[in-house]
Amino acid sequence: MGVLRPGLCPGLTEEMVQLLRSRGIKTVVDLATADLEEVAQKCGLSYKALVALRRVLLAQFSAFPFNGADLYEELKISTAILSTGIGSLDKLLDAGLYTGEVTEIVGGPGSGKTQVCLCVAAHVAHSLQQNVLYIDSNGGLTASRLLQLLQARTQDEEEQAGALQRIQVAHAFDIFRMLDELQDLRGAVAQQVTGSSGTVKVVVVDSVTAVVSPLLGGQQREALFLVLSVLLVCCSSPGLALMMQLARELKTLARDLGIAVLVTNHMTRDRDSGRLKPALGRSWSFVPSTRVLLDSPEEAGTSGRSQRMACLTKSPRQPTGLQEAVDISTWGTSEQSSVLQGEQT
Amino acid sequence: MQRDLVSFPLSPAVRVKLVSAGFQSAEELLEAKPSELSKEVGISKEEALETLQIVRRKCLTNKPRNDSTSDTSCRKCTALDLLEQEHTQGFIVTFCSALDNILGGGVPLMKTTEICGAPGVGKTQLCMQLAVDVQIPECFGGVAGEAVFIDTEGSFMVERVVDLATACIQHLQLIAGTHMDEEHEKALEDFTLENILSHIYYFRCHDYTELLAQVYLLPDLLSDHSKVRLVIVDGIAFPFRHDLDDLSLRTRLLNGLAQQMISLANHHRLAQVGNIVQITKPERMHSTVSNHSQKHI
């Protein structure tokens, strides 16, 4: 909500702003919540003028309610479903990644999260001919692997190069850099930068945990934090605020620009029960609308080494507990599809 | 575009004052002048100027610009550019062909490699070998770089490095002998024991504060010595195991350290090698320490 400035709306003059500020009313929120009779008496402004001013400001700054039917119509037109290129994963995701939503892949180290991201990027860039923004925060992106995936799809080198050019890569190793990249994306779309051959349809963030986990945590050892604050961006509650900033930015980006957002998250061990659970806590668990857990199966034979079990743990459309077996060495080519109805986790 | 002030790396004191003055988003600060801002908010002129610079530098990319940004924070490239970069960069050979095979040529640059194992299995030996191997001249297939060795356990033995360096020189002399090339001869002249040892920058860290401080100071060191291609941290988990009782703080510090190192590896085009001693304690502690490292071998 804006700071009150002269010219913010018709009727708000410089002297009004100064008088209001002298009484402690600096922002639109302050004015909207103040008792106007009192303000009129103290500031010497007319009550009518203040009421009119408030009405104009509220009209300018409030959100407009949307009719549900209109919203549904708009979503039907604007939402696209982008296949991930992996048949069994598409089954879990109800045909693919939905634009306007955040989808999360969770798993322990080596479970295949980055491979999923690379496969999605390669598929969207090549088969769907759309641009992808790949934000890499833990160094897992190797272009040689992308090339391998593309070579499995097409032998034509021109097509491979074209697909690689559609994947924009950004390295963001801390949260401020990541927020900058997302802001740049907004700016580029707003200006419709003609450098790229199309608009970005998928944003892949690999991984969110890498930039957020250094910020979250306990309130102890404040003194240590003051010493190490240059490394750690101070204490926990701004950390949580930053995480929620990122969450908000990702969700509004998905919704406003009609983009599908794919993020990856790590696993962490629950301190009390010792079980593995997705990192970043409960606050983050409300952010993605769909969550897929990748797990390595128990047996570690030669065939089992590339096998992964993908389990749907959160979805707005499908029942949770759906499981699919995926082979990460042969994404999208010859996967087995055994749909198991597991219990809810 | 509206962007909250929380999402900028401002100092907390300044941020609190800005918020209490009613500023919430970056757009409101765009038109302000430093002197006006410092009066309104109650911060010094230098702080106001710094704040505006931070906020404007990010917001400037929204406005049309015809010159390329001087700030490298918005450095984007396509996957094709990245592929070309990857093809041209070299590997640091380990002189163990089996290991080089698994690694796909050797220890890769711009990535972080982690070596873990039980005590006594040879991790420090491998690190010392890599510190010598990074200096192999380019005509022999090396990266001709220098090395930074950060030691937390005190297991670095100079005498052993002398042995390794001497063996490496002899090996290269054999290769040069078969090639009979002037280029190889010239490169070998510089590849002497004194040069090898003088290009390994050694730091000893006794606890985790020193380690964190050392990693924090690395960017300055790397800009002074731009030929460094390898940073080794021998015993990355060692200082964290003993002094820290607070597990969540440890995880946080390790995560921050990991990110710092990955960022350094990426920006300065070096290889990072970290050593972890395998913990033989209960499983929970093991996973907490190795949880931070989502790296590749």
Side-chain angles (χ1 to χ4, degrees), chain B residues 193-240:
Chain B
L193 186 59
E194 288 77 35
N195 274 347
I196 297 177
L197 290 176
S198 65
H199 289 150
I200 302 178
Y201 304 108
Y202 176 80
F203 298 93
R204 176 81 170 94
C205 297
H206 297 92
D207 57 30
Y208 70 91
T209 325
E210 283 183 31
L211 176 61
L212 289 169
Q214 191 58 53
V215 174
Y216 179 65
L217 292 172
L218 266 182
D220 292 328
L221 180 79
L222 293 173
S223 38
D224 288 336
H225 302 273
S226 57
K227 286 193 69 185
V228 171
R229 286 284 166 272
L230 175 66
V231 173
I232 301 171
V233 182
D234 189 4
I236 203 167
F238 180 73
F240 291 95

Side-chain angles (χ1 to χ4, degrees), chain A residues 169-213:
Chain A
V169 174
H171 291 286
F173 299 113
D174 60 79
I175 193 159
F176 298 113
R177 196 74 69 79
M178 191 175 282
L179 288 165
D180 287 344
E181 295 293 342
L182 294 175
Q183 187 188 12
D184 286 348
L185 176 64
R186 267 189 194 273
V189 170
Q191 288 176 31
Q192 286 170 344
V193 174
T194 49
S196 43
S197 56
T199 49
V200 171
K201 266 291 168 210
V202 179
V203 171
V204 180
V205 182
D206 179 25
S207 69
V208 156
T209 329
V211 294
V212 173
S213 55

Side-chain angles (χ1 to χ4, degrees), chain A residues 246-280:
Chain A
L246 183 63
R248 200 177 78 176
E249 192 55 38
L250 288 171
K251 290 187 83 126
T252 50
L253 205 74
R255 185 80 178 80
D256 293 344
L257 303 182
I259 286 177
V261 176
L262 179 67
V263 303
T264 60
N265 194 0
H266 300 167
M267 300 283 269
T268 183
R269 206 167 280 275
D270 193 13
R271 199 178 294 193
D272 311 311
S273 66
R275 282 191 324 152
L276 286 172
K277 59 170 191 180
L280 303 182

Side-chain angles (χ1 to χ4, degrees), chain B residues 49-284:
Chain B
L49 188 61
E50 203 189 313
T51 310
L52 285 172
Q53 274 179 345
I54 293 177
V55 170
R56 280 203 193 127
R57 195 186 302 163
K58 315 305 177 196
C59 277
L60 268 176
T61 53
N62 274 341
K63 305 198 175 7
R65 304 185 62 190
N66 29 26
D67 54 293
S68 60
T69 172
S70 53
D71 186 17
T72 54
S73 69
C74 318
R75 191 183 41 159
K76 261 206 274 275
C77 55
T78 66
L80 195 62
D81 302 328
L82 204 61
L83 185 69
E84 282 162 17
Q85 220 176 56
E86 279 177 21
H87 278 326
T88 51
Q89 87 196 8
F91 292 93
I92 305 175
V93 289
T94 59
F95 273 129
C96 166
S97 55
L99 198 55
D100 284 340
N101 276 342
I102 331 175
L103 290 172
V107 171
L109 292 181
M110 297 188 55
K111 300 283 180 205
T112 320
T113 309
E114 176 188 75
I115 306 172
C116 23
V121 79
K123 305 181 294 299
T124 309
Q125 296 298 312
L126 183 57
C127 289
M128 294 195 290
Q129 180 72 61
L130 287 172
V132 171
D133 291 344
V134 72
Q135 305 186 41
I136 296 176
E138 276 169 8
C139 51
F140 289 99
V143 299
E146 300 172 357
V148 169
F149 197 107
I150 302 177
D151 189 5
T152 59
E153 294 169 345
S155 43
F156 185 82
M157 309 254 80
V158 186
E159 297 84 5
R160 181 65 182 146
V161 178
V162 169
D163 288 342
L164 294 171
T166 324
C168 189
I169 297 173
Q170 280 173 355
H171 188 97
L172 291 187
Q173 274 168 347
L174 277 177
I175 300 180
T178 59
H179 278 263
M180 304 289 223
D181 203 340
E182 205 185 283
E183 203 192 335
H184 288 107
E185 298 285 337
K186 245 181 68 169
L188 260 188
E189 275 168 35
D190 294 326
F191 197 65
T192 62
L193 186 59
E194 288 77 35
N195 274 347
I196 297 177
L197 290 176
S198 65
H199 289 150
I200 302 178
Y201 304 108
Y202 176 80
F203 298 93
R204 176 81 170 94
C205 297
H206 297 92
D207 57 30
Y208 70 91
T209 325
E210 283 183 31
L211 176 61
L212 289 169
Q214 191 58 53
V215 174
Y216 179 65
L217 292 172
L218 266 182
D220 292 328
L221 180 79
L222 293 173
S223 38
D224 288 336
H225 302 273
S226 57
K227 286 193 69 185
V228 171
R229 286 284 166 272
L230 175 66
V231 173
I232 301 171
V233 182
D234 189 4
I236 203 167
F238 180 73
F240 291 95
R241 260 191 302 147
H242 295 280
D243 298 331
L244 278 185
D245 301 319
D246 184 354
L247 290 183
S248 73
L249 174 64
R250 180 170 76 183
T251 315
R252 229 161 30 255
L253 289 178
L254 280 173
N255 285 336
L257 187 63
Q259 284 306 107
Q260 186 94 350
M261 288 174 56
I262 295 173
S263 167
L264 280 176
N266 194 270
H267 287 156
H268 296 265
R269 296 169 178 272
L270 21 105
Q272 292 262 17
V273 176
N275 254 359
I276 286 198
V277 175
Q278 190 161 50
I279 300 172
T280 51
K281 289 190 190 160
E283 204 197 51
R284 192 199 278 183

